[in-house]
PDB file of all heavy atoms in Angstrom:
ATOM      1  N   THR A 145     -25.433 -35.090 -29.176  1.00  0.00           N
ATOM      2  CA  THR A 145     -26.432 -35.281 -30.249  1.00  0.00           C
ATOM      3  C   THR A 145     -27.472 -36.191 -29.755  1.00  0.00           C
ATOM      4  O   THR A 145     -27.311 -37.431 -29.723  1.00  0.00           O
ATOM      5  CB  THR A 145     -25.749 -35.893 -31.489  1.00  0.00           C
ATOM      6  OG1 THR A 145     -24.613 -35.129 -31.851  1.00  0.00           O
ATOM      7  CG2 THR A 145     -26.710 -35.989 -32.649  1.00  0.00           C
ATOM      8  N   PRO A 146     -28.620 -35.669 -29.247  1.00  0.00           N
ATOM      9  CA  PRO A 146     -29.604 -36.529 -28.603  1.00  0.00           C
ATOM     10  C   PRO A 146     -30.609 -37.118 -29.638  1.00  0.00           C
ATOM     11  O   PRO A 146     -30.878 -36.530 -30.661  1.00  0.00           O
ATOM     12  CB  PRO A 146     -30.354 -35.512 -27.722  1.00  0.00           C
ATOM     13  CG  PRO A 146     -30.217 -34.197 -28.368  1.00  0.00           C
ATOM     14  CD  PRO A 146     -28.852 -34.229 -29.104  1.00  0.00           C
ATOM     15  N   ALA A 147     -31.105 -38.302 -29.288  1.00  0.00           N
ATOM     16  CA  ALA A 147     -32.247 -38.865 -30.024  1.00  0.00           C
ATOM     17  C   ALA A 147     -33.544 -38.257 -29.413  1.00  0.00           C
ATOM     18  O   ALA A 147     -33.541 -37.609 -28.423  1.00  0.00           O
ATOM     19  CB  ALA A 147     -32.237 -40.366 -29.783  1.00  0.00           C
ATOM     20  N   PRO A 148     -34.635 -38.471 -30.109  1.00  0.00           N
ATOM     21  CA  PRO A 148     -35.933 -37.996 -29.552  1.00  0.00           C
ATOM     22  C   PRO A 148     -36.198 -38.513 -28.159  1.00  0.00           C
ATOM     23  O   PRO A 148     -35.857 -39.646 -27.853  1.00  0.00           O
ATOM     24  CB  PRO A 148     -36.997 -38.434 -30.586  1.00  0.00           C
ATOM     25  CG  PRO A 148     -36.182 -38.632 -31.848  1.00  0.00           C
ATOM     26  CD  PRO A 148     -34.829 -39.116 -31.401  1.00  0.00           C
ATOM     27  N   VAL A 149     -36.881 -37.730 -27.370  1.00  0.00           N
ATOM     28  CA  VAL A 149     -37.243 -38.054 -26.074  1.00  0.00           C
ATOM     29  C   VAL A 149     -38.277 -39.197 -26.066  1.00  0.00           C
ATOM     30  O   VAL A 149     -39.096 -39.305 -26.965  1.00  0.00           O
ATOM     31  CB  VAL A 149     -37.813 -36.893 -25.273  1.00  0.00           C
ATOM     32  CG1 VAL A 149     -39.095 -36.362 -25.812  1.00  0.00           C
ATOM     33  CG2 VAL A 149     -37.905 -37.183 -23.760  1.00  0.00           C
ATOM     34  N   GLU A 150     -38.151 -40.045 -25.089  1.00  0.00           N
ATOM     35  CA  GLU A 150     -39.197 -41.152 -24.818  1.00  0.00           C
ATOM     36  C   GLU A 150     -39.746 -40.816 -23.461  1.00  0.00           C
ATOM     37  O   GLU A 150     -39.075 -40.401 -22.566  1.00  0.00           O
ATOM     38  CB  GLU A 150     -38.519 -42.538 -24.828  1.00  0.00           C
ATOM     39  CG  GLU A 150     -37.922 -42.866 -26.186  1.00  0.00           C
ATOM     40  CD  GLU A 150     -37.239 -44.267 -26.102  1.00  0.00           C
ATOM     41  OE1 GLU A 150     -37.957 -45.238 -25.912  1.00  0.00           O
ATOM     42  OE2 GLU A 150     -36.039 -44.243 -26.280  1.00  0.00           O
ATOM     43  N   TRP A 151     -41.051 -41.105 -23.259  1.00  0.00           N
ATOM     44  CA  TRP A 151     -41.764 -40.740 -22.065  1.00  0.00           C
ATOM     45  C   TRP A 151     -42.455 -42.034 -21.529  1.00  0.00           C
ATOM     46  O   TRP A 151     -43.076 -42.736 -22.306  1.00  0.00           O
ATOM     47  CB  TRP A 151     -42.828 -39.687 -22.393  1.00  0.00           C
ATOM     48  CG  TRP A 151     -43.629 -39.254 -21.274  1.00  0.00           C
ATOM     49  CD1 TRP A 151     -44.938 -39.548 -20.972  1.00  0.00           C
ATOM     50  CD2 TRP A 151     -43.217 -38.371 -20.209  1.00  0.00           C
ATOM     51  NE1 TRP A 151     -45.360 -38.932 -19.880  1.00  0.00           N
ATOM     52  CE2 TRP A 151     -44.319 -38.158 -19.347  1.00  0.00           C
ATOM     53  CE3 TRP A 151     -42.062 -37.730 -19.883  1.00  0.00           C
ATOM     54  CZ2 TRP A 151     -44.306 -37.433 -18.246  1.00  0.00           C
ATOM     55  CZ3 TRP A 151     -41.979 -36.937 -18.739  1.00  0.00           C
ATOM     56  CH2 TRP A 151     -43.110 -36.750 -17.890  1.00  0.00           C
ATOM     57  N   ASN A 152     -42.344 -42.210 -20.228  1.00  0.00           N
ATOM     58  CA  ASN A 152     -43.028 -43.324 -19.614  1.00  0.00           C
ATOM     59  C   ASN A 152     -43.481 -42.984 -18.220  1.00  0.00           C
ATOM     60  O   ASN A 152     -42.716 -42.986 -17.290  1.00  0.00           O
ATOM     61  CB  ASN A 152     -42.023 -44.577 -19.556  1.00  0.00           C
ATOM     62  CG  ASN A 152     -42.732 -45.820 -19.118  1.00  0.00           C
ATOM     63  OD1 ASN A 152     -43.814 -45.782 -18.511  1.00  0.00           O
ATOM     64  ND2 ASN A 152     -42.091 -46.937 -19.367  1.00  0.00           N
ATOM     65  N   HIS A 153     -44.744 -42.619 -18.096  1.00  0.00           N
ATOM     66  CA  HIS A 153     -45.376 -42.329 -16.820  1.00  0.00           C
ATOM     67  C   HIS A 153     -44.561 -41.472 -15.859  1.00  0.00           C
ATOM     68  O   HIS A 153     -44.239 -41.804 -14.775  1.00  0.00           O
ATOM     69  CB  HIS A 153     -45.695 -43.671 -16.108  1.00  0.00           C
ATOM     70  CG  HIS A 153     -46.674 -44.532 -16.911  1.00  0.00           C
ATOM     71  ND1 HIS A 153     -46.205 -45.370 -17.857  1.00  0.00           N
ATOM     72  CD2 HIS A 153     -47.994 -44.601 -16.853  1.00  0.00           C
ATOM     73  CE1 HIS A 153     -47.270 -46.049 -18.434  1.00  0.00           C
ATOM     74  NE2 HIS A 153     -48.364 -45.516 -17.808  1.00  0.00           N
ATOM     75  N   GLY A 154     -44.195 -40.247 -16.372  1.00  0.00           N
ATOM     76  CA  GLY A 154     -43.574 -39.345 -15.483  1.00  0.00           C
ATOM     77  C   GLY A 154     -42.029 -39.273 -15.599  1.00  0.00           C
ATOM     78  O   GLY A 154     -41.369 -38.449 -14.995  1.00  0.00           O
ATOM     79  N   ILE A 155     -41.489 -40.201 -16.409  1.00  0.00           N
ATOM     80  CA  ILE A 155     -39.990 -40.229 -16.546  1.00  0.00           C
ATOM     81  C   ILE A 155     -39.661 -40.087 -18.037  1.00  0.00           C
ATOM     82  O   ILE A 155     -40.255 -40.723 -18.888  1.00  0.00           O
ATOM     83  CB  ILE A 155     -39.449 -41.652 -16.110  1.00  0.00           C
ATOM     84  CG1 ILE A 155     -39.825 -41.835 -14.532  1.00  0.00           C
ATOM     85  CG2 ILE A 155     -37.928 -41.671 -16.272  1.00  0.00           C
ATOM     86  CD1 ILE A 155     -39.167 -40.900 -13.612  1.00  0.00           C
ATOM     87  N   ALA A 156     -38.710 -39.249 -18.331  1.00  0.00           N
ATOM     88  CA  ALA A 156     -38.291 -39.042 -19.712  1.00  0.00           C
ATOM     89  C   ALA A 156     -36.930 -39.696 -19.875  1.00  0.00           C
ATOM     90  O   ALA A 156     -36.112 -39.667 -18.967  1.00  0.00           O
ATOM     91  CB  ALA A 156     -38.146 -37.517 -20.004  1.00  0.00           C
ATOM     92  N   ARG A 157     -36.695 -40.293 -21.053  1.00  0.00           N
ATOM     93  CA  ARG A 157     -35.445 -40.948 -21.323  1.00  0.00           C
ATOM     94  C   ARG A 157     -34.934 -40.446 -22.689  1.00  0.00           C
ATOM     95  O   ARG A 157     -35.708 -40.324 -23.643  1.00  0.00           O
ATOM     96  CB  ARG A 157     -35.592 -42.477 -21.408  1.00  0.00           C
ATOM     97  CG  ARG A 157     -34.307 -43.158 -21.815  1.00  0.00           C
ATOM     98  CD  ARG A 157     -34.473 -44.631 -21.719  1.00  0.00           C
ATOM     99  NE  ARG A 157     -35.137 -45.086 -22.905  1.00  0.00           N
ATOM    100  CZ  ARG A 157     -35.185 -46.351 -23.336  1.00  0.00           C
ATOM    101  NH1 ARG A 157     -34.555 -47.294 -22.622  1.00  0.00           N
ATOM    102  NH2 ARG A 157     -35.775 -46.666 -24.390  1.00  0.00           N
ATOM    103  N   VAL A 158     -33.679 -40.171 -22.761  1.00  0.00           N
ATOM    104  CA  VAL A 158     -33.023 -39.738 -24.026  1.00  0.00           C
ATOM    105  C   VAL A 158     -31.686 -40.405 -24.124  1.00  0.00           C
ATOM    106  O   VAL A 158     -30.860 -40.334 -23.217  1.00  0.00           O
ATOM    107  CB  VAL A 158     -32.822 -38.173 -23.997  1.00  0.00           C
ATOM    108  CG1 VAL A 158     -32.108 -37.766 -25.305  1.00  0.00           C
ATOM    109  CG2 VAL A 158     -34.127 -37.407 -23.848  1.00  0.00           C
ATOM    110  N   THR A 159     -31.513 -41.071 -25.289  1.00  0.00           N
ATOM    111  CA  THR A 159     -30.175 -41.582 -25.603  1.00  0.00           C
ATOM    112  C   THR A 159     -29.459 -40.550 -26.373  1.00  0.00           C
ATOM    113  O   THR A 159     -30.086 -39.758 -27.065  1.00  0.00           O
ATOM    114  CB  THR A 159     -30.273 -42.942 -26.407  1.00  0.00           C
ATOM    115  OG1 THR A 159     -31.081 -42.748 -27.529  1.00  0.00           O
ATOM    116  CG2 THR A 159     -30.912 -44.064 -25.518  1.00  0.00           C
TER     117      THR A 159
END
Side-chain angles (χ1 to χ4, degrees):
T145 308
V149 65
E150 297 178 64
W151 180 254
N152 187 342
H153 299 86
I155 303 293
R157 176 177 79 164
V158 178
T159 56

